[in-house]
Amino acid sequence: MSEAATSRGRSLWADAGDRLRRNRAAMASLILISLIALACLFGPLLTGHAYDRVYPDYVKVPASLESQPSEDRIAPGLQRTASRLRANIASETREGDAIRLVLTAPRAIDERSLAFFERSDLFHAAKVLERAEEGRRLTLLVPIERNTFVFGTDGNGRDMLTRTLIAGRVSLAIGLLATFVAILIGVSYGAISGYLGGRIDMLMMRAVDVLYSLPFIFFVIMLVVFFGRNFVLMFLAVGAVEWLDMARIVRGQTLSLKRREFVQAADVLGVSTPGILRRHIIPNTLGPVVVYTTLLVPKVILLESFLSFLGLGVQEPMTSWGVLISDGARNIQGATYLLIFPAIFLTTTLFCLNFIGDGLRDALDPRDR
Amino acid sequence: MVLFVLRRFLSAIPTLFVVVTLSFFLMRVAPGGPFDLEQPLEAKIMENLNRAFGLDRPLIEQYGRYLLNLLSGDLGPSFYIRDFSVAEILLKGLPVSMTLGSLAILLALVVGTTLGVIASLRQNSGVDYAVIGFATAGVTIPNFVVAPLFQIIFGLMLSWLPVGGWNNGAVRNIILPVIVLALPQIAVVARMTRASMIEALRSDHVRTLRSLGMGQRVIVLHALRGAILPIMSYLGPTAAALLTGSVVVETIFGLPGIGRYFVEGALNRDYTLVMGTVVVVAIFVLLFNMIVDILYALLDPRVRYE
Amino acid sequence: MDRAQFHIRDLHVRFRTQAGELHAVKGVSLSVARGETLAIVGESGSGKSQTMLAALGLIASNGVVTGSATLSGQELIGASERVLNTIRGATVTMIFQEPMTSLDPLFTIGQQIIAVIRRHRKLSQSEARAEAVALLERVRIPDAANRLAAYPHEMSGGQRQRVMIAMALANRPDVLVADEPTTALDVTIQSEILALLAELQRDMGMAIVFITHDLGVVRRIANRVAVMRYGEIVESGPVRQVFDAPRHAYTRALLEAEPGGTKAAVAADAPVLLAAEQVRVHYAIRSGFFGRAKRVIRAVDGVSLTLRRGETLGVVGESGSGKSTLGRAIVKLAPASGMIRFEDRALVPLSRAEMRPLRRSLQMVFQDPYGSLSPRMTVGEIITEGLLVHEPALSAAARDRRAAEALEEVQLDAALRNRFPHEFSGGQRQRIAIARSMILKPQLVILDEPTSALDRSIQKAIVDLLRDLQKRHDLAYLFISHDLAVVRAMADKILVMKDGLVVEQGPRDELIRHPREDYTQRLLAAATQTGFLAG
């Protein structure tokens, strides 16, 4: 001990950190969840699609790494656009990533309506190469517009990758927000109830019991009814429901800490109540609070998804994983990818958070020591 | 013992009263009413409807009347599902929900404790890790993901089971919903059993048993009896929730249980239907908490003489 | 054939832990014969319990055992669980320290005893039942036939230990291993249990391996003794020989660790520091429906005492006697009525705020050195917390200096003040707790069993430290303890408590030599027999 005597001691937190670092499942989860969070935060800027951009020509395109349009979409696309111009296709020849197209029509083709090519999701603006027969025969160069939908598109023709990532932002933000509210209320309620004790404690806990016996779904649905479809307000409210467990945990901790000799020792030293709370009680309840927080985030995300699944959550065109999964569940016949991708993201996130929570608990409460 | 049961029963009544009162007023202060349709009704018709259902009376009078009716077992008529009383609606749905729920609980108890015991006896082995992995999956993957996945796999790809429908409770129809309901509970029960078994196996009194040459079977029996107590406390409220139906499972599998009425009722401001469901759920919760207390007293002599 | 029943040869126990391999038992050899009692003595962590647990195959799953342990020729190390299960409980059994947790709380004691009997003998349920009643009578459980239906929580600690003994002896084993079976019990009960074990041994003739840290117990019941330290036997032999002529330095240190000497008396005209009259601490226990039924627990019921400057009052009693509550009442940790006067102030009516300035002269040191230090604060922060309250003007640097001084005063390295409590041993932690109260320069310190969670040799050092501090600062102590040996070494006056009442109080020597009350006599007799007050 003398050799290391001058060094700073290792706190219980540092010890816990070491144990957590040795927990491979928790560390892998930590990395994975960071990647998911980063992807959700910055990914939508890089996918090249806006989350609410509708591609009417690409409804329910299956997930694929190939760029769109696929070859079998080009000819019908040209045909469709030509008929809008009231013209017939005389010939089409492929020139790399563009098509040389000869259109004929009984009447002169209005070149302004060539904008239909640009408006289609398949092509860029067409360039007129040659006019003949007083405008009744046009030779055009139509560049193909290349798009990639890695996760496919939904029933409205929106890019699922972008939507999944945007949904992740919403789900994660809501999870953190509601958890924060729940922790704030739960910790203060529990600490006050436990520290004051006696009759006040009994009354406060009785109130918690009553709230416990109210059917939870009923409570949440009433909140939806109250706050309408404002999801920020709603999740402040969900946080305000989820604090019950936290309050119980913190109260239990406070009660047992109050009986511990180090708190009595502080009392004998003459330390004031705020001083005891600040230096002795709160730092020692932190462990369970941290663990519970990591486990509460997935619970809230799950609840959000559940509400969205019922159609009570986030409103279109905004989206969340729950909304996407509910969409996917309705389309399991034919378009399973609509369910699979958001489900993978959601469950991976929940898995990671649970592993981290379990890891933290083992790290902070080493029974085998 | 009789006194004990009676006491628990009496102390449940005030809680039930508070729950009913709270939900009644919560429901009523919510904006909107049961007859707000897309197309606003004529004022005259609205007035008639409100009068017919007694909604024109002062709120406190409506509350008093509701309580009185409740005492005589009358839950009132549904506002939204016309021509049906709430009691009729709930009585029709309850058997469906209770069938599914009780089977799920049974499955969870049997499979969950078995898995937990096996894992605890082979701690840190491959079997143990498999159980932990399964349990983590069970609690993390939400049922609205599992349900459609099962539909895809067992209904569409393998065509073993129907993807939905009640069909008078045919075994083929209820297998998937029961499994989906049970999975997360199996997971939780397995985790809890494993944790309490490991603790019990390390306890002083199990060491005593080993020092006296008692065999594995006796040791597991003793450890399990202690381990079952926290599981019961967990299963009480869970059983109440499962028996009163699951919105998700009933919606996805198209089953006529009572789980959906919360959502439908609340959104349509069907006051009586929501209240009826709240009352039923609350009674189940209180009932099961009571059953747990009694079982606890039976299994743990230290509680009995408290 | 060799008369010895039980042989252990070159036994090693290694634990695989995250921090690496822990070599807990390093080549222990010993043997015990029929009718003989072998005591294994050592301080906590010496490997004395692990040796016997390993021999019986009861070690934790991360332990690896090598070597040999034979019982009447049958090898136990490496034997299958099935073979072991036919031996354990039949020819060799074990009883443990914790009577509170060693029995299954969910089964009646009858069920537990009958299960043991029928496990090893082919008896019918009713035969086994009759056998169980006889056993309970044999260990002197009153009303044995009816007590079969009792659950462990309905019995006292001493009775539970009797039940454990009954279970262990149910099948007349050849060897009984007793792992600190009396440590958790009060002295009077301890003495009864030891007498019972000796009597049963005379009747049944089994060999006993008695694991203990308590030399007094060894002297009373053992024929031979093995002294263990750091997983090795440092010395063994007949008790008389080892005690009278110890060969190893560690044995000598252990023998000398019994706190000796007495405190010099204070001057008769020393001013009275603390006076208490008719102190009462009553708790109302609410129970039953809506908390109506009330029961009053009289933890302290009319205690009077006086304490002069520089004087030590020893408060002695068994668990539940109210001695700790009395100490707590004086520092206002427990709500008291009656009169408590410190210097010239009456403490009972004071509010928290009014009490605060007095607290610096009125300090307390607690029993559990593991529980009394805040785990998330450094030692320096812990020691100086009182200065934040009573000398708020002090700079951080000055506080740090004071912390260093306080640590040196309790003979700890001042450089350790940046470390956290969990890095220290029990004795070191108790020194830290003492430093925390000494830094305020108090006049009176309540010492609530400050040595009873510590090993004997460390106890002695703490007693020396406390006496030294008292002399230097002219402190008054209220020394609360169940341990008469330590009280005799510390106190000027002794107060004996039972059930919240004062049984007897008086000057140390007078009370020990001529106890007036029956209870005091019994307490002293038990302590003398178990060796607490030997010599």
Side-chain angles (χ1 to χ4, degrees), chain A residues 41-173:
Chain A
L41 209 55
F42 300 111
L45 306 173
L46 308 173
T47 55
H49 306 284
Y51 74 95
D52 53 354
R53 162 86 192 268
V54 173
Y55 296 90
D57 289 308
Y58 294 123
V59 170
K60 288 198 190 175
V61 175
S64 152
L65 288 170
E66 304 274 304
S67 74
Q68 298 291 345
S70 50
E71 289 308 313
D72 56 331
R73 276 177 196 273
I74 294 176
L78 286 173
Q79 199 65 59
R80 214 159 43 237
T81 317
S83 65
R84 284 197 177 146
L85 298 168
R86 292 158 214 245
N88 296 315
I89 298 172
S91 76
E92 49 174 289
T93 36
R94 201 50 192 274
E95 290 181 358
D97 236 11
I99 296 158
R100 177 184 283 271
L101 192 67
V102 180
L103 293 180
T104 57
R107 268 184 251 154
I109 300 168
D110 185 352
E111 288 191 18
R112 281 171 303 175
S113 59
L114 289 179
F116 278 120
F117 278 105
E118 203 183 346
R119 261 181 239 163
S120 143
D121 302 320
L122 309 183
F123 311 109
H124 289 296
K127 211 164 84 191
V128 180
L129 297 177
E130 220 181 300
R131 297 179 184 81
E133 300 174 22
E134 291 153 1
R136 277 175 289 149
R137 185 187 176 88
L138 288 182
T139 309
L140 305 171
L141 188 70
V142 185
I144 297 173
E145 183 183 340
R146 288 287 167 193
N147 274 307
T148 314
F149 302 104
V150 180
F151 288 1
T153 60
D154 68 5
N156 291 322
R158 291 174 296 195
D159 178 41
M160 277 300 285
L161 173 60
T162 316
R163 287 185 73 71
T164 306
L165 295 179
I166 283 281
R169 272 192 202 174
V170 173
S171 290
L172 289 173

Side-chain angles (χ1 to χ4, degrees), chain B residues 11 19 39 114 124 126 153 179 195 207 238-241 247 260 282 286 298:
Chain B
S11 68
V19 168
Q39 301 278 315
T114 312
N124 296 328
I153 297 169
I179 292 179
R207 186 182 58 182
T238 309
V247 195
R260 324 166 266 146
L286 293 171
L298 283 177

Side-chain angles (χ1 to χ4, degrees), chain C residues 50 88 109 153 221-222 232-233 287 335 373 380 455 507:
Chain C
Q50 295 305 336
R88 291 191 300 229
I109 60 160
H153 69 99
I221 67 155
E232 286 169 311
I233 292 182
S287 61
L373 306 179
D455 277 328

Side-chain angles (χ1 to χ4, degrees), chain B residues 181-252:
Chain B
L181 272 180
L183 271 180
Q185 312 309 335
I186 294 177
V188 175
V189 171
R191 275 174 87 131
M192 288 181 75
T193 310
R194 177 181 178 274
S196 11
M197 277 293 289
I198 286 175
E199 204 174 316
L201 287 173
R202 281 190 197 153
S203 71
D204 283 354
H205 64 259
V206 164
R207 186 182 58 182
T208 305
L209 290 175
R210 293 184 58 209
S211 79
L212 292 167
M214 307 306 267
Q216 177 87 333
R217 206 178 53 80
V218 180
I219 287 171
V220 170
L221 191 89
H222 277 253
L224 192 59
R225 181 147 175 195
I228 211 90
L229 293 172
I231 295 168
M232 265 180 6
S233 309
Y234 166 78
L235 274 185
T238 309
L242 284 187
L243 292 177
T244 48
S246 151
V247 195
V248 171
V249 171
E250 286 175 13
T251 310
I252 293 182

Side-chain angles (χ1 to χ4, degrees), chain C residues 6-208:
Chain C
F6 193 39
H7 289 284
I8 292 177
R9 253 178 251 106
D10 196 27
L11 190 85
H12 288 262
V13 180
R14 295 176 176 86
F15 289 103
R16 288 171 312 225
T17 66
Q18 280 200 330
E21 195 189 72
L22 184 81
H23 200 165
V25 177
K26 303 166 186 162
V28 164
S29 300
L30 42 84
S31 65
V32 60
R34 275 192 75 76
E36 183 188 44
T37 299
L38 168 71
I40 305 180
V41 188
E43 302 195 324
S44 52
S46 61
K48 57 191 192 300
S49 293
Q50 295 305 336
T51 303
M52 295 316 293
L53 286 172
L56 299 192
L58 293 173
I59 210 135
S61 56
N62 63 336
V64 180
V65 185
T66 55
S68 152
T70 55
L71 182 66
S72 309
Q74 161 83 47
E75 178 62 56
L76 300 181
I77 307 298
S80 73
E81 193 73 7
R82 233 177 40 137
V83 172
L84 283 176
N85 277 343
T86 61
I87 299 169
R88 291 191 300 229
T91 41
V92 58
T93 53
M94 190 155 177
I95 54 180
F96 302 95
Q97 175 173 353
E98 281 303 325
M100 296 308 183
T101 54
S102 292
L103 295 166
D104 193 329
L106 304 182
F107 291 81
T108 65
I109 60 160
Q111 287 169 327
Q112 302 188 48
I113 298 175
I114 290 168
V116 176
I117 296 172
R118 297 192 65 193
R119 164 89 192 165
H120 297 285
R121 282 192 275 165
K122 291 209 172 353
L123 292 183
S124 72
Q125 178 73 21
S126 57
E127 285 167 336
R129 201 191 133 81
E131 183 79 29
V133 173
L135 272 166
L136 285 186
E137 277 166 355
R138 191 71 198 75
V139 295
R140 308 249 171 72
I141 298 270
D143 193 16
N146 287 322
R147 295 304 270 171
L148 280 186
Y151 286 94
H153 69 99
E154 297 168 287
M155 307 187 115
S156 68
Q159 280 186 321
R160 279 184 240 197
Q161 202 58 292
R162 285 168 195 269
V163 172
M164 265 309 291
I165 293 171
M167 279 167 72
L169 301 182
N171 298 312
R172 296 191 152 254
D174 299 327
V175 179
L176 172 69
V177 179
D179 186 359
E180 305 246 12
T182 59
T183 307
L185 303 172
D186 282 327
V187 270
T188 49
I189 296 163
Q190 210 168 3
S191 169
E192 289 167 21
I193 296 282
L194 289 176
L196 176 69
L197 277 176
E199 182 192 319
L200 290 169
Q201 187 182 29
R202 252 193 329 274
D203 291 359
M204 297 180 162
M206 73 272 189
I208 295 181

Side-chain angles (χ1 to χ4, degrees), chain B:
Chain B
M1 198 68 211
V2 178
L3 204 69
F4 180 84
V5 174
L6 200 71
R7 270 185 195 168
R8 289 292 140 124
F9 187 74
L10 284 177
S11 68
I13 288 174
T15 317
L16 187 62
F17 173 74
V18 174
V19 168
V20 168
T21 308
L22 217 66
S23 359
F24 184 89
F25 289 102
L26 212 65
M27 190 78 216
R28 289 312 173 90
V29 288
F35 309 120
D36 294 345
L37 304 177
E38 303 271 317
Q39 301 278 315
L41 288 171
E42 261 176 63
K44 189 72 194 155
I45 300 177
M46 190 73 136
E47 207 175 287
N48 286 340
L49 273 171
N50 278 338
R51 185 167 324 122
F53 285 101
L55 292 178
D56 55 337
R57 319 296 305 175
L59 196 55
I60 195 77
E61 186 187 325
Q62 292 182 41
Y63 170 66
R65 192 168 292 178
Y66 186 81
L67 277 189
L68 279 180
N69 288 339
L70 191 61
L71 281 181
S72 60
D74 180 6
L75 295 171
S78 167
F79 292 135
Y80 188 72
I81 309 173
R82 299 288 155 82
D83 303 325
F84 279 97
S85 79
V86 170
E88 282 169 342
I89 297 172
L90 293 180
L91 279 179
K92 230 170 95 192
L94 208 49
V96 174
S97 295
M98 283 178 67
T99 311
L100 298 173
S102 50
L103 288 173
I105 283 290
L106 202 69
L107 197 65
L109 199 58
V110 174
V111 179
T113 42
T114 312
L115 288 180
V117 169
I118 292 172
S120 70
L121 292 179
R122 305 214 181 343
Q123 208 190 333
N124 296 328
S125 70
V127 185
D128 186 25
Y129 288 130
V131 171
I132 296 174
F134 167 76
T136 313
V139 271
T140 29
I141 306 178
N143 54 2
F144 52 83
V145 173
V146 177
L149 278 180
F150 276 17
Q151 285 179 322
I152 294 176
I153 297 169
F154 299 104
L156 300 176
M157 285 162 61
L158 300 170
S159 299
W160 287 351
L161 297 163
V163 289
W166 176 236
N167 195 13
N168 288 321
V171 176
R172 281 168 52 79
N173 284 63
I174 60 174
I175 290 177
L176 283 184
V178 165
I179 292 179
V180 171
L181 272 180
L183 271 180
Q185 312 309 335
I186 294 177
V188 175
V189 171
R191 275 174 87 131
M192 288 181 75
T193 310
R194 177 181 178 274
S196 11
M197 277 293 289
I198 286 175
E199 204 174 316
L201 287 173
R202 281 190 197 153
S203 71
D204 283 354
H205 64 259
V206 164
R207 186 182 58 182
T208 305
L209 290 175
R210 293 184 58 209
S211 79
L212 292 167
M214 307 306 267
Q216 177 87 333
R217 206 178 53 80
V218 180
I219 287 171
V220 170
L221 191 89
H222 277 253
L224 192 59
R225 181 147 175 195
I228 211 90
L229 293 172
I231 295 168
M232 265 180 6
S233 309
Y234 166 78
L235 274 185
T238 309
L242 284 187
L243 292 177
T244 48
S246 151
V247 195
V248 171
V249 171
E250 286 175 13
T251 310
I252 293 182
F253 290 102
L255 303 167
I258 66 167
R260 324 166 266 146
Y261 292 136
F262 260 134
V263 186
E264 284 177 18
L267 292 182
N268 297 319
R269 306 293 186 281
D270 192 340
Y271 297 145
T272 44
L273 183 58
V274 172
M275 286 302 300
T277 322
V278 169
V279 169
V280 168
V281 172
I283 288 177
F284 268 87
V285 170
L286 293 171
L287 191 74
F288 273 88
N289 281 339
M290 207 164 87
I291 293 175
V292 166
D293 281 349
I294 293 167
L295 282 177
Y296 220 109
L298 283 177
L299 283 177
D300 190 344
R302 287 165 297 184
V303 178
R304 222 175 290 165
Y305 302 92
E306 169 186 272

Side-chain angles (χ1 to χ4, degrees), chain A residues 10-23 27 360 363-364:
Chain A
R10 297 180 53 71
S11 74
L12 293 178
W13 289 110
D15 272 3
D18 275 358
R19 275 191 295 276
L20 188 63
R21 270 187 286 281
R22 275 199 297 270
N23 184 333
M27 287 323 283
L360 271 174
L364 287 169

